[in-house]
Amino acid sequence: MKIEGTKEFDASREVVWSVINDPAKMAKTMPGVESFEIADDKHWSAKVKVPLGLGGLKMSMNFTKLEERPLEFASLNAKGQGVGALMNMTTSFTLSGEGEQTSMAWEADVKIAGPVGSMGQRVLQPIINQQVGNVLSALDNEVQAAKSGA
Amino acid sequence: MRVAATPTSSQIVTVTVNGTAYEREVPARRLLVHFLRDDLDLTGTHIGCDTGSCGACTVHLDGVAVKSCAVLAVQADGAQVTTVEGLGDDELTPLQQSFSDHHALQCGYCTPGMLMSASALLAENASPTEEEVKVGLQGNICRCTGYWNIVEAVVAAGKGSA
Amino acid sequence: MTTVETEGTTTLQKGFVGQNVPRREDRRLVQGEGVYFDDVKRHGMGYVHFLRSPYAHARITSIDVSAALELPGVYGTLTGDEVAILTDPFFQIAAEPGASVKDFALAVGKVRYVGEPVVAVVAETRELARDASELVMVDYDPLDVVVDARKALEDGAPVLHEDCGGNMSYTGVWEWGDVDAAFAEADHVVSISELHFDRFNSTPLELDGALVEYNRGTGQWTITTNNQFPGFAVIMMAPAMRVGTDKLRMVTQDIGGGFGNKITSHPQLVALCLLARKLNRPVQWTEWRTDFHQSMSHGNERWFLDTEVAVKADGTMTAFRTKAIDDAGAYLRYEPLGGVIWSQVAAGMYGWRNIRLEFTQAMTNKAPVSPNRGYSRMQHLWFTERIIDIVAHELGFDRVELRKKNYVQPGQMPYETPNGCVYDSGDYPRALDLVLDLIGYDTIEQRREEAASRGKLLGFGIGSTLDSGTNNFGQSQLLNPELQFSGNNEVATVKLDIFGEVVVTLGTTPQGQSHETTAAQVVADILGCDVDLVHVRAGHDSYWNSHAGFSGTYASQFAVTGLGAVKGATEELARQMKTLASMVFQCSVDDIELADGFARMKENAEAALPFMALGAIPNANNAGFPVDPPPMNARFVYRPPFEVPDKERKFGNLTLTYSMQIHACVVEVDPETGVYELVDYAAVDDCGVRVNPKIVEGQVMGATAHAIGAAMFEVFAYDDEGNLLTPNFYDYHVPHTLDMPPLKTAAIESPSPFTPLGTKGMGEGGGGGIHCIGAALQDALRSSGGAVVTSSHNPYHRVWEMLRHPERSREKVEVKG
Amino acid sequence: MLLREVSYARPASIEEAVALLSEHEGARALAGGQTLVNVMKQRAASPDVLVDLGKLDELRTISVSGTTLQIGAMATLASIMRSSEVEVSRPILAEVAATIADVQVRNRGTLGGNICVNDPTNHFPPLLVALGASMTVLGTGGERTLTADEFFVGVFETAVGEGELLTRIDVPAGGKGAGDGMAGVTLGAHGTYVANAAASVADGTWRIALGCVGAVPVRATAVEEKLAGADVDEAVARTAVEGLGATLDPPSDVHASADYRRSLAETSAVRAILQAAEKARG
């Protein structure tokens, strides 16, 4: 499933970049992160419990940074394996804009298999859209924090 | 405020099934249908899906038709359960006889659930119309008959008992 | 309301055959006393859970079961690596390239569809087995996925089975008559660029499973299961397991529906056999609904591309040519037999003499297909009915007249088709008139106007279809000349027991087809006794020695092969009974008759032996006889009269009988939403002599319900990653009571001249409902853009699209000349 | 089909239930179980503790207080169908309950469970939004009341927080000049909704909510404004609804493309509006 969108930030590209380029900060944007480990600047992993209301879906996620062009472009792959569930997401961010305005065009190709899928069509896509929405608003908070911190 | 009970992963369940009282320790996660089939060996109650859709597992819980695959055995603690084995004694009930008379079953796998839904309906409504029967059996899937003969059988059983 | 009208039978029966004798099976089933495989327990039995692939196509890089084995209560596991050592790949029906498919009980090295069993885990409880399976760590290296059969055949497509050098399992050209000449002489040529028969199956309510015991002393497995074709299962299992077929004792009693979907469970059965031996304890596996939908027995999905139909000015259809692409899914469990089975009905119910069909089968990253009620003929018959209705639609012919003109006529029966099949009997035009009467065809235009006044689009459709039964397995040689299968057979044993009970043992594995009842009817008539004196054993057990290579219940044949065997065995028993009586009364056998439960002298009713005496003499009181008394025990193997078909011309009789059904329905479509309702429905059936009319009608009703589900609701749809989007009853909606239309049925009896009782197999029904619902939708949409129906499955959203964008289907159709 | 291990408790009082929910992390209230147990069978979600509300009869009461219909969270769909209070004050609730799934599910399934699950295809979330219902939630910190618009947060998610319990749903009683309607397309009779709309009018003021077009019910406020005070007939309804679909971003799945859902949302809205207007005319 491919989803994409654009997100506007009241912050400079440097600030936004400093967030999406920092695994620790990015981790804070992910729903239900329970623990987090950085292997090296290209690889990190996390244990998450994706909140699904009726009880969470536990997954261990491995992240790999695929490509980066500072202040412009970053792409990474997230692979999750839970009990019987699988998630594989390749996502990329392209930054543009001047001064204190940054626009982030993002794309994500999400593959989900396992029990969430078998819960049915009617929930799968809404759940993904919802989780993406949460990530973006959390990202905004991180950016604002970094901005005021800077 | 009184202290809350401690949740446990298994509990002693006391339940009366077809008039016989049972006391068993049951894991909290065990479904009523598996408790009936695997623990009490009442294999007349069947399983045809894993989403609470097919009704093959329908039993009466305190006189009400429920899908025993969507009820935990621990939830039946203290309850009266009736399964297809408890419908009649050696003699067929008029409803069971009507199913046979109208060729309302082929493979027979959905039949126990159909009978439990139909008997619950007849208990509330002694002679239902065809439409009422269809509504009453909406929660039971049959793949052999196309339902026509089942609906006829229940309508006829109702007329007989009216 | 539900009305059921049945026309009086045309051949009057005397005795029990032809009567609605109450079903013997019912009593135990309505009391919940049926015995299905999952009702059987053994001491110390372990429960099996299969860990399944979440990927549609991936290399298995590692499997670690250690954590699972450490869990208390876990008995053991089985992986593909063990299976690859302990067994050989399953025998393949296909010639090359399909012959190179390597299919094992568990995934070996690669997974090829979502839901494929990868590891089996056995534990003390069902729940624990699933818990343990979650502790098994499997690493996958994902591969590109192909889910579209057309793309799977293109160069550069991801390849499922590298040894096959591509995804094609079978291809062949099937041509009869002079197709080019027929097109040269045609007044019109109608071309249809694409038709698609969707993927679904009949979803029996009981799922697959088995209890498997292994005896180390005898080296024998006892397999209590619901496989509906044990003869085929052991032929697949024994060589793979490197044992003789008699080491596999197949046992069933009651089966909760099969519809063909329970023929190909042999891979799981082998995994269970290996586990029972490895762990030295009984193992039990029950499949769940989501497992079944993802991994078992989908019906064949088929494309018909570049179809052309040659039509004369008067509507006579002289030829068609098309390219069929069949989607077998990831493995060839019963395939590529679908590549020949369709040709049993190559010309449908019509007089086509010139036919060319290029059949190519592809393997894709989807669940393997297997026979499904109407196996492979339903897809092709839907295609022939689409041709009729599209030609009528495009050239302005009346659909009823066009059918009557092109139907094979009653005067031509028995009729040899262009490919050498013989339609045994039937009166198709009369059946059509009958169904039109039932549905009130003459009032359709009024009803159309009345519906229009309510804002509804009303449509009427016809679906004529065949149910060919009793396979000549020699047709498999048209796909693979090396195969050593031909003909067909079934077995029955009938004995007179010590107290005079008549005991019948069948080789079949009924799943609701009432064999215990109809067999008793046939026996009682031959022995001149009451039907209640006849005991027909429930179920199948290969220990009974009452089975043969083709034993089972599938492909519309019991009324011919099963009852043929029953008749043969009972006639032999009758001869033995008369012989014994003649020995007792010192008279000629010809002076003895069987009547009213006695063997008696025709001329002297006083000289009568009750069945009890006849049973007692050989069994318990046989001293002093000058010669051996006959044993009162007969085993008969029925063999239909078949030749091996001509492999060069792809010519010969492929099935013995041709039952016929014509369905008609009326739909009302909501033009704003595409939602539609079946407001009227009728079906006429002709299956020759009906042993038990009510049971026959039950089969017609069941086939109708499956067709309604397939046409309106049921589809196995996949996304591009190979995820099944309808993996259980949340999204795979099957019809419930409130979804069913009123139904009227009628029957004609045109006895088959080729079968022992004039009966014909009829369990499958040929999908008539799919054909007539599509036709009715096309008729309803005529006034709203004239969309052409090109799919077998037409849910609301497709109807809405046809209403909004009729051009999308219109551009698939073209009329030349 | 086989659940993960879970702990279970059956409190005897609401206070005990709230205590259990707040004391145990990953605790989840078990109402009728007609969704939750099935989700657990798929192992798509696994609460650590189930707090069974089955014995809390005080949560099953249906009563009228002044002009408000008060429905206990544990009232079953079957009891709502039979309730004379519902029939008198807001019959649409019973009419809609009667079309949910089947007899067995309605015998166990509860109103509270139906909305706390907030499956995007469930019937009651859009209906309660249209009816302007409010929800009473109890926690260790005491009671709070949420409007239906605030209540629904996401798929399987509501504003009921950790350790909190939905106890009651309040629905303003309808009266003269008021009317409700609900229309949509389902997968087979009484099946899962593919798209739906619920509409409610009282004294010319409209509330309209759409289901299955997002994770939560979507208010059609623009349509509500266009209809305000109008004498609604089919033409008026169609004009008001025109363009509604274009404002939506519905999911696309095996049952319906996004475009089809946009179209169904408009058609359903028109039909729900006309039902409501009809009833309002009395």
Side-chain angles (χ1 to χ4, degrees), chain C residues 554-748:
Chain C
Y554 57 91
S556 295
Q557 62 179 33
F558 179 74
V560 175
T561 58
L563 292 183
V566 168
K567 178 169 181 282
T570 311
E571 284 169 347
E572 164 59 15
L573 177 65
R575 196 189 56 73
Q576 294 182 16
M577 291 165 72
K578 289 180 184 172
T579 305
L580 180 57
S582 70
M583 291 162 82
V584 171
F585 296 125
Q586 308 282 315
C587 65
S588 140
V589 173
D590 303 339
D591 300 337
I592 303 291
E593 65 176 3
L594 298 177
D596 310 327
F598 290 88
R600 65 188 180 204
M601 289 182 71
K602 294 173 185 165
E603 306 307 325
N604 172 11
E606 297 301 300
L609 285 173
F611 281 16
M612 182 169 177
L614 294 166
I617 290 168
N619 282 304
N621 187 15
N622 54 35
F625 262 74
V627 295
D628 288 345
M632 299 298 133
N633 195 332
R635 179 179 191 272
F636 187 87
V637 181
Y638 172 75
R639 181 179 74 106
F642 282 129
E643 301 295 321
V644 175
D646 179 331
K647 301 183 185 85
E648 304 315 310
R649 297 161 55 213
K650 296 194 170 75
F651 186 94
N653 195 14
L654 307 183
T655 45
L656 193 64
T657 65
Y658 285 84
S659 292
M660 172 238 61
Q661 287 188 5
I662 302 184
H663 293 233
C665 72
V666 179
V667 301
E668 283 185 10
V669 181
D670 173 349
E672 272 193 278
T673 61
V675 171
Y676 62 99
E677 187 185 0
L678 296 174
V679 295
D680 203 355
Y681 201 108
V684 171
D685 169 73
D686 183 351
C687 62
V689 171
R690 295 177 301 163
V691 173
N692 188 316
K694 200 150 187 76
I695 287 168
V696 165
E697 187 192 43
Q699 292 294 313
V700 173
M701 290 172 157
T704 301
H706 283 173
I708 289 171
M712 297 181 69
F713 304 115
E714 300 178 42
V715 65
F716 289 129
Y718 283 83
D719 67 15
D720 294 343
E721 276 85 48
N723 296 306
L724 178 60
L725 301 176
T726 51
N728 51 44
F729 287 146
Y730 280 140
D731 291 293
Y732 190 96
H733 176 79
V734 301
H736 294 230
T737 46
L738 290 168
D739 298 319
M740 301 310 286
L743 174 70
K744 310 186 193 85
T745 68
I748 302 176

Side-chain angles (χ1 to χ4, degrees), chain A residues 51-66:
Chain A
L52 288 175
L54 302 179
L57 182 68
K58 287 199 172 77
M59 277 201 172
S60 53
M61 309 276 301
N62 290 302
F63 298 84
T64 311
K65 192 180 290 175
L66 302 172

Side-chain angles (χ1 to χ4, degrees), chain C residues 77-95:
Chain C
T77 60
L78 185 75
T79 65
D81 292 349
E82 293 168 81
V83 170
I85 292 163
L86 298 169
T87 67
D88 296 321
F90 290 114
F91 157 76
Q92 290 296 318
I93 292 164

Side-chain angles (χ1 to χ4, degrees), chain C residues 322-541:
Chain C
T322 189
K323 299 189 187 73
I325 295 180
D326 190 74
D327 183 342
Y331 293 93
L332 308 175
R333 297 272 157 90
Y334 200 81
E335 294 308 312
L337 284 179
V340 60
I341 299 282
W342 66 271
S343 68
Q344 297 169 8
V345 293
M349 285 168 66
Y350 304 98
W352 274 302
R353 300 305 305 176
N354 310 291
I355 296 174
R356 176 188 167 87
L357 188 146
E358 270 177 57
F359 193 104
T360 306
Q361 187 179 65
M363 296 178 283
T364 60
N365 294 112
K366 297 190 287 194
V369 302
S370 84
N372 183 72
R373 194 173 204 165
Y375 177 41
S376 193
R377 295 100 82 213
M378 169 172 57
Q379 289 81 345
H380 185 77
L381 289 159
W382 171 79
F383 166 73
T384 62
E385 289 299 284
R386 278 288 82 218
I387 287 182
I388 299 296
D389 283 292
I390 290 172
V391 166
H393 192 259
E394 298 304 303
L395 296 179
F397 288 111
D398 176 87
R399 293 171 291 166
V400 171
E401 292 317 311
L402 193 65
R403 281 185 167 80
K404 285 188 174 174
K405 175 182 280 295
N406 287 281
Y407 276 155
V408 171
Q409 299 300 313
Q412 300 174 275
M413 297 291 180
Y415 171 80
E416 185 179 87
T417 66
N419 59 321
C421 293
V422 181
Y423 292 0
D424 46 346
S425 63
D427 185 341
Y428 306 160
R430 176 167 169 233
L432 181 53
D433 286 333
L434 202 49
V435 83
L436 293 176
D437 289 348
L438 287 180
I439 203 115
Y441 182 56
D442 51 353
T443 67
I444 290 296
E445 290 316 315
Q446 279 159 258
R447 286 147 81 180
R448 203 191 295 274
E449 286 172 27
E450 186 280 327
S453 71
R454 288 181 283 111
K456 294 289 175 69
L457 302 168
L458 183 139
F460 165 77
I462 301 165
S464 10
T465 200
L466 293 169
D467 187 348
S468 52
T470 304
N471 276 326
N472 175 357
F473 280 85
Q475 65 199 277
S476 62
Q477 299 183 34
L478 302 183
L479 295 171
N480 180 356
E482 304 305 311
L483 292 178
Q484 298 300 313
F485 300 109
S486 72
N488 199 330
N489 56 27
E490 191 49 272
V491 179
T493 59
V494 182
K495 66 174 181 176
L496 195 61
D497 227 326
I498 186 163
F499 294 132
E501 323 91 308
V502 180
V503 179
V504 182
T505 309
L506 304 173
T508 58
T509 53
Q511 316 112 38
Q513 295 92 340
S514 320
H515 294 179
E516 294 164 49
T517 305
T518 52
Q521 291 176 258
V522 170
V523 172
D525 280 359
I526 295 169
L527 298 184
C529 66
D530 189 276
V531 71
D532 292 333
L533 197 74
V534 181
H535 170 64
V536 182
R537 287 173 170 173
H540 173 102
D541 186 335

Side-chain angles (χ1 to χ4, degrees), chain B residues 15-27:
Chain B
V15 58
T16 301
V17 183
N18 302 332
T20 308
Y22 298 86
E23 187 172 281
R24 289 275 202 288
E25 177 161 14
V26 185

Side-chain angles (χ1 to χ4, degrees), chain C residues 766-779:
Chain C
I770 303 177
H771 318 334
C772 76
I773 291 169
L777 287 170
Q778 184 171 287
D779 183 45

